[in-house]
Amino acid sequence: MPFNSVNRFEDAEHEALMGVWWSGVLLRQIARRFFRDQTVAESQFNVLMALRYAERALSQQDLSERLLVDKSNLTGLIDGLVKLGFVRRFREKRDRRFYRLKLTGEGVEFLEKLEPAYLELVHGIMNEFTPEERTRLTEYMVRLQRRMEQWK
Amino acid sequence: MPFNSVNRFEDAEHEALMGVWWSGVLLRQIARRFFRDQTVAESQFNVLMALRYAERALSQQDLSERLLVDKSNLTGLIDGLVKLGFVRRFREKRDRRFYRLKLTGEGVEFLEKLEPAYLELVHGIMNEFTPEERTRLTEYMVRLQRRMEQWK
DNA sequence: ATATAACAGTTGTAAAGTCAACTGTTATAT
DNA sequence: ATATAACAGTTGACTTTACAACTGTTATAT
């Protein structure tokens, strides 16, 4: 899909999409490195954040949809977070098919400790843009995502 | 890193970067599905495209840098492409440490056959944007990538 | 001249992801 | 009422990727 550098393939649409692709690749790389020396991996951090900022207690299925990760992965990911004491699974009485996942106090504490460094990284990258540009970029990304969801 | 939907975490910089992240995830997903029923995997297609549009014969190391993929992966990826008859490795006499990789006629032919469907997909996504927007998006992505490369 | 560095590629290991098939639970349709 | 379908989660096989350690080759430094 990529090939950023030399692009004799003169197609502006393609070039733009490659830009997004490429930015995503770089972002993943940076994230991986950031989390290398952390207690949790990037994928587990994603779970913690999703749980923290969700409007209600989520199931693994919910997480799967929000994080765009297959539900089968979440079993192990959450096992790890439970073992770390950051998350607990609560069986639902009314419907014993699913769990409600909740962050523990330690989980919240952990996120709060990590947040400053994380935000510093994010801001360090994003202050490339003016507030107006940032707004426009966000808008573009929302539209792009909506468009791409039609291919799912 | 993500958590698009509900974002009580009111931080515009973060939101924008998440947009990029998220678009990247969706794009990967779409690409994976596109290549599912194709002869080559997405990662192999990337290799073929890089070889095709390179200004000179590349080594595996070159590819590793251009595709942002660890060189250890390229061994197997290229093995597969060689087996398919799309790529050949040529030992360099002057420096026997590396290969020069070249697309075969079959390799080029294969790409040409795949190109229409590939471009249709790309255009189907990108016609979300006007030409002006597309230009601006491309510009943003270039700047973002340059910025992120400082973290490598 | 020779030891040391650097380089290109390969191998092995582990993490993270997808997918399909399975278990157990609840909804639904006739 | 009961069979069927849908759902949540788990398991196992497989793919993709990164990283570290290795081999073999060339460059560099003293």
Side-chain angles (χ1 to χ4, degrees):
Chain A
M1 199 94 167
F3 61 103
N4 53 345
S5 18
V6 181
N7 199 342
R8 284 200 260 149
F9 194 65
E10 306 277 357
D11 182 309
E13 264 107 338
H14 188 252
E15 189 188 2
L17 199 55
M18 284 310 93
V20 177
W21 169 284
W22 217 247
S23 299
V25 170
L26 278 168
L27 204 44
R28 282 176 67 87
Q29 215 169 67
I30 290 171
R32 196 180 329 107
R33 282 177 189 152
F34 177 81
F35 285 103
R36 173 153 331 151
D37 29 318
Q38 240 66 44
T39 315
V40 302
E42 178 213 320
S43 47
Q44 291 179 312
F45 179 73
N46 294 344
V47 170
L48 292 177
M49 288 296 259
L51 291 180
R52 181 170 192 198
Y53 293 103
E55 70 292 356
R56 59 185 173 80
L58 300 178
S59 66
Q60 297 186 189
Q61 180 67 35
D62 293 331
L63 279 175
S64 168
E65 286 158 16
R66 296 197 180 197
L67 301 177
L68 294 187
V69 159
D70 193 275
K71 59 183 175 154
S72 63
N73 284 321
L74 287 166
T75 300
L77 248 41
I78 292 171
D79 283 353
L81 291 172
V82 168
K83 204 165 285 176
L84 284 166
F86 293 165
V87 171
R88 260 212 285 275
R89 288 192 243 235
F90 294 92
R91 267 288 178 207
E92 186 64 19
K93 295 279 175 188
R94 320 214 160 229
D95 187 340
R96 293 161 38 77
R97 281 176 298 185
F98 63 89
Y99 301 114
R100 299 204 178 283
L101 302 170
K102 291 194 184 153
L103 279 187
T104 64
E106 284 97 330
V108 175
E109 210 175 296
F110 172 76
L111 277 182
E112 277 166 358
K113 218 155 38 190
L114 206 54
E115 213 161 67
Y118 175 74
L119 283 182
E120 193 190 353
L121 176 67
V122 170
H123 293 157
I125 294 171
M126 285 308 294
N127 67 11
E128 168 71 27
F129 298 101
T130 68
E132 293 74 32
E133 290 173 331
R134 212 190 46 215
T135 303
R136 196 146 44 201
L137 175 56
T138 303
E139 183 226 320
Y140 286 179
M141 291 300 107
V142 169
R143 284 167 56 195
L144 185 58
Q145 286 162 39
R146 261 205 270 279
R147 172 55 72 102
M148 286 195 287
E149 259 153 26
Q150 295 173 9
W151 268 265
K152 276 197 64 174
Chain B
M1 198 94 167
F3 61 103
N4 52 347
S5 20
V6 181
N7 199 341
R8 285 200 259 147
F9 195 67
E10 305 278 355
D11 182 311
E13 265 107 338
H14 188 252
E15 190 188 0
L17 199 55
M18 285 310 92
V20 177
W21 169 283
W22 217 248
S23 300
V25 171
L26 278 168
L27 206 44
R28 284 173 64 88
Q29 221 169 63
I30 290 171
R32 195 180 330 108
R33 282 176 191 153
F34 176 80
F35 285 103
R36 173 155 329 151
D37 27 317
Q38 240 65 46
T39 314
V40 302
E42 178 213 321
S43 47
Q44 290 179 311
F45 178 74
N46 295 343
V47 170
L48 292 178
M49 288 295 259
L51 291 180
R52 181 171 192 198
Y53 293 102
E55 70 292 355
R56 59 184 173 80
L58 301 178
S59 67
Q60 298 186 190
Q61 180 68 34
D62 293 331
L63 279 175
S64 166
E65 285 157 19
R66 296 198 181 196
L67 300 177
L68 294 187
V69 160
D70 193 276
K71 60 183 173 152
S72 64
N73 291 318
L74 287 166
T75 300
L77 247 39
I78 292 170
D79 283 353
L81 291 172
V82 168
K83 204 165 289 177
L84 284 166
F86 294 166
V87 171
R88 262 213 283 274
R89 288 192 244 236
F90 294 91
R91 269 288 180 208
E92 186 63 20
K93 297 277 176 192
R94 321 214 160 230
D95 187 340
R96 294 162 35 79
R97 280 175 297 183
F98 63 89
Y99 302 112
R100 299 205 178 283
L101 302 171
K102 292 194 182 153
L103 278 187
T104 64
E106 286 97 330
V108 174
E109 209 174 296
F110 172 77
L111 278 181
E112 277 166 0
K113 218 156 38 191
L114 205 54
E115 213 162 68
Y118 175 74
L119 283 181
E120 192 190 354
L121 176 68
V122 170
H123 293 158
I125 294 170
M126 285 308 293
N127 68 11
E128 167 71 27
F129 298 102
T130 68
E132 295 74 32
E133 289 174 333
R134 212 191 44 215
T135 303
R136 196 146 45 199
L137 174 55
T138 303
E139 182 226 321
Y140 286 178
M141 291 301 107
V142 169
R143 284 167 57 195
L144 185 57
Q145 286 162 39
R146 260 205 270 282
R147 173 56 71 101
M148 286 194 288
E149 258 153 26
Q150 296 173 9
W151 269 265
K152 277 195 66 175

